[in-house]
Every structure is written in structure tokens, then in C-alpha cells.
Amino acid sequence: MGRFAPSPTGDLHLGSLYAAAASYLDARAHGGRWLIRLEDLDRPRERPGAAARILRTLEAFGFEWDGEVVRQSDRGPLYAAALDALRRAGRTFECSCSRLDLADAPRYPGSCRSGPLRRGRPTAVRLRVEPGIVRFTDRIQGPGARDVAATAGDLVIRRRDGIVSYLLAVVVDDAAQGVTDVVRGADLIEHTPAQRHLQELLGLPAPRYAHVPVLTEPDGAKLAKSARSLALDAREPQGPLLRALDLLGLPVGEQPLPAGLPEIWDWAIRRWDPERVPKRPALPVRG
Ligand code: GLU
């Protein structure tokens, strides 16, 4: 079972189509189900109308998802239960540090481990992360290992504004929804060790991970200033879809290529081979 989990903070562009297509092809090629989860917990960053536009665009591009679209904003009790379990196990502490307090720290220095330093301030909940190497194998990028305590330190699992953090929500949801294969952009690979660590603490099964490269401008900069970064046009799905499939290593030069969208998807599902996805964290695109 796979999933695509967009945050409604903007419209889909070629880079998001690329990650969504990889996850979709991977699930369907294994005869698996594929879910959509709107990661809409960060209300302050949400753009009005983006969630509806994302779903319309995915539909126009021929994605067919299983079941109802899940919204994280409807799942507060699930996250609260996970927070509670960690709290009861003595794995958390309240932290009063602001972003400014920590601006110069390469990682969280443990300031509030024995109680919030500044009384009367709103607090975040942090996970007490003990030293130790977390290992995982990525199906595309290869083996990874990270000492979360040494690199990030104690992780925020509920923010000072009360919002449950992405890290916790994603881990709880992937397990609750039975996701076995996480296929997503390599910009998220840095969060994978922390997610593996949380899964272990919560006694949740670990999904397999495959991180596809992040598409960039030809000079390596974030997709930003060209047609490549524009919101996908739902009226013209075929060009960008074939582009994304080509960048995923599918033989789109093959002739004759099928004509309609459903036929293109069938063709691509039959040919999906994660071995052909470029094994690199970033992939510059031209044109
Ligand atoms: N919602 C996250 C994002 O849009 C993706 C979460 C995930 O795939 O784990 O960046």
C-alpha cells in the first residue's frame, strides 16, 4: 500500500507530479492500493483553495486513489493518543524555548530537559532522544544511518502553538492506514531517521522507503523561476505526465506510445522499474 501526502500549502508542480507518479506506479505495479492524505495540520501555512485544487489536478492527470481522501485535521485524537503514550512512557518533556532562543544552536542543546527554563511561556513537547545510530535502507538512495541525538537532538512532536508536528503525524498515519511503502521526494529523506526512531518507540511497523530525486532548476536551485515550477495545468496533463515518466526512467521514446491518459498509465505501470530512477538526491531539469 502506497500513498501521496501533499500539504495544501501551494499548487502541484512538475516536482510534485514526479513524486506522486513514482508512488502511484510503485503501488499499482505491485497490485497495491494507493491513498491520498492531505497533510493540513499546519493551518497558518495553508493556502485557501489549495487542497481542492490539488485533488482536481490529480484527477485531471488520471490518478485513481482508493477510498476517501484522509485529512490530518480530522485525526487529532489519534495523534493525541500517540503523544500520550510517549508522555506516559517518560519519553517527552515540555520545552519553553522559542526559535530565537535556539537560533545559534546547531541542534537542540537540551535546555529544558529538566523542566521548562522559562515559566509562564507556552511550551512545545519534545521527544527525549538518546544517542544511538538509526539505520534504514532506501530502495533508491541506498543505505542510510544517522545518530538523531547528535544531529537534531530532542525532537519537537507538538509545537508551541499546539500543532502536532509533521514527524509524529506522518508516523502515526502511515501505520494507522497500513502504508507499507513510502515513496516520496528526497527532500524528506532527512526526516526518515527521526521517523524510524518514532516508529520504534511507538511499537509501529516500519514501512519500506524509496526517495526519488527532487527536481531542480538546471543550476541545481529549487524549482522556482520557470515554467517547470508553475502550477500544473489540469487542461494539459499529457505533456507534463510524459515528462515526469521520462525523468523516472520510463522509456517514453518507445513507439508507438499509447494515446489516452488511462492507456499511458497502464503502459507505465507495466514498465515501472525503481532501478531506473536516478539514484541521486537531486535531478536538474531543462526546458
Ligand atoms: N506532507 C509532506 C510534504 O508535502 C510529505 C509527507 C511525506 O510524504 O512523508 O512535504
Side-chain angles (χ1 to χ4, degrees), residues 3-7 9 37 39 166 170 174 182-185 187-188 195:
R3 49 62 160 189
F4 180 52
S7 305
T9 49
R37 183 170 75 228
E39 304 214 316
Y166 153 73
V170 98
D174 282 339
V182 171
V183 181
R184 60 186 179 185
D187 50 328
L188 295 163
Q195 290 173 4

Side-chain angles (χ1 to χ4, degrees), residues 83 91-98 102 107-110 112 124-129 152-158:
L83 261 174
R91 308 295 312 209
T92 65
F93 62 92
E94 304 281 323
C95 172
S96 60
C97 297
S98 66
L102 301 172
R107 62 175 177 278
Y108 180 69
C112 298
V125 177
R126 283 187 187 265
L127 184 74
R128 215 178 275 280
V129 179
D154 300 322
L155 304 164
V156 172
I157 52 176
R158 201 210 63 211

